[in-house]
Amino acid sequence: SDGSIRLHQMTSDYPLMQWNDSTNGQPVIALQWALTRPAVFFVLDASSNIYIWDLLEDDLLPVAKQTIPSENVVTMALLGEPEKTNGLLGIALAKESGEIDIQYVKKKWALP
């Protein structure tokens, strides 16, 4: 609820990494690991911002931020086929109106 993100290892109660205020204090609505690239995850906050984290490129800050300006996004899901190496990775965004928007991710964050 405060925008903090924690990375845990299954064998420990304490996080390996913790990013406080990672969304400028906005609640995290959804977080999902990339299906095609293990070091990348996506975060959706309550202000309809999507943050892309690539832990191999930068483990302190997101590598990109995209605002969805038209309407509140209420959830997201990632689309892709982990067994294929074509680098296709998409994000399905569900908006408050019921509309679904699908966007594709740049290959640099999708390739294995």
Side-chain angles (χ1 to χ4, degrees):
S1 66
D2 64 358
S4 296
I5 298 171
R6 294 171 195 85
L7 176 64
H8 283 267
Q9 185 174 1
M10 297 297 288
T11 58
S12 174
D13 292 336
Y14 302 101
L16 293 172
M17 294 285 294
Q18 180 168 326
W19 300 276
N20 294 322
D21 200 32
S22 63
T23 58
N24 296 318
Q26 290 296 313
V28 172
I29 302 298
L31 185 149
Q32 192 169 358
W33 286 98
L35 302 170
T36 57
R37 189 176 172 104
V40 173
F41 64 92
F42 297 79
V43 176
L44 170 66
D45 74 11
S47 294
S48 299
N49 295 304
I50 298 171
Y51 301 85
I52 302 172
W53 291 77
D54 184 345
L55 298 179
L56 296 178
E57 188 175 326
D58 188 343
D59 63 358
L60 298 176
L61 298 168
V63 293
K65 175 185 171 185
Q66 177 69 47
T67 301
I68 310 300
S70 60
E71 180 179 349
N72 278 348
V73 177
V74 294
T75 193
M76 72 173 180
L78 294 179
L79 314 165
E81 299 176 273
E83 63 278 356
K84 292 190 177 179
T85 58
N86 59 8
L88 285 178
L89 181 65
I91 304 176
L93 304 169
K95 297 183 177 180
E96 204 168 46
S97 67
E99 181 181 317
I100 303 291
D101 186 18
I102 303 207
Q103 298 188 7
Y104 286 96
V105 175
K106 288 183 180 180
K107 286 194 183 278
K108 71 178 183 177
W109 296 311
L111 286 171

